[in-house]
Amino acid sequence: MQLALQQAQAAATENEVPVGAVLVSEQNECLAVGHNRPIGSYDPTAHAEIMVLREAAKNNKNYRLINTTLYVTLEPCVMCVGAMIHARVKKLVYGAQEHKTGAIQSACQLLDETHFNHQIEIKSGVLQQQCAAIMSDFFSRRRCEKKQLKKRSLNE
């Protein structure tokens, strides 16, 4: 999860929402790392989870990522959960909850559904405080920047 936090910080540096992800094999080998890039890549699907699933699938020359564990700093959304199911990720480990769009335990509980042909193990709350702090610091900074811009435009 520390590596995922580093990726989240890289996203924040690029002014992307600071979410980082890491995919590891059953042998704990790092298969891919990534962070949110929808703004910089002009791609609404470029969430951290999708980025690492794409990279690992390409490197393995297989869209199935069986027996892998995905570490992500923030509770995944519906799109990312769907991608994890299709990729056959074995386990999801995430840090902070995403109360507005989280699809594991917050806004909805997709992985509690029994009709999917693949079930994913879940572990939540890993380094939760650090994962939540990077998000709140990012959005606090963004609010300050917006206030400063507004103040500047009023003074012009």
Side-chain angles (χ1 to χ4, degrees):
M1 189 61 86
Q2 289 292 343
L3 187 51
L5 277 165
Q6 290 172 13
Q7 287 294 308
Q9 188 58 55
T13 301
E14 295 173 16
N15 256 347
E16 300 275 0
V17 174
V19 179
V22 177
L23 188 72
V24 299
S25 70
E26 194 171 30
Q27 295 76 29
N28 213 28
E29 172 192 1
C30 183
L31 301 175
V33 299
H35 58 273
N36 270 7
R37 297 232 349 108
I39 298 167
S41 65
Y42 309 106
D43 179 359
T45 68
H47 290 193
E49 302 92 324
I50 301 296
M51 301 301 282
V52 298
L53 295 176
R54 284 179 182 158
E55 182 182 334
K58 184 178 179 181
N59 291 342
N60 288 340
K61 296 181 178 26
N62 191 341
Y63 72 105
R64 299 289 195 215
L65 299 168
I66 297 168
N67 295 325
T68 57
T69 300
L70 179 63
Y71 293 87
V72 64
T73 57
L74 188 67
E75 180 181 1
C77 70
V78 170
M79 174 183 69
C80 294
V81 170
M84 288 184 279
I85 291 168
H86 286 293
R88 304 296 193 266
V89 169
K90 181 178 182 179
K91 185 175 183 177
L92 167 66
V93 179
Y94 69 92
Q97 285 183 272
E98 170 44 276
H99 298 286
K100 292 181 181 178
T101 62
I104 306 299
Q105 68 183 43
S106 296
C108 61
Q109 298 80 38
L110 281 183
L111 293 181
D112 289 348
E113 298 294 327
T114 58
H115 62 274
F116 291 123
N117 60 347
H118 178 69
Q119 299 297 309
I120 298 173
E121 297 172 36
I122 307 162
K123 183 172 183 177
S124 62
V126 175
L127 298 182
Q128 182 174 355
Q129 289 179 324
Q130 294 95 317
C131 293
I134 197 166
M135 291 294 287
S136 57
D137 292 348
F138 175 80
F139 285 109
S140 176
R141 178 177 58 83
R142 293 277 301 263
R143 283 190 297 276
C144 276
E145 289 170 355
K146 283 184 180 182
K147 280 182 185 178
Q148 289 172 351
L149 279 174
K150 188 175 181 179
K151 190 183 277 188
R152 253 187 259 147
S153 67
L154 290 173
N155 290 334
E156 291 177 355

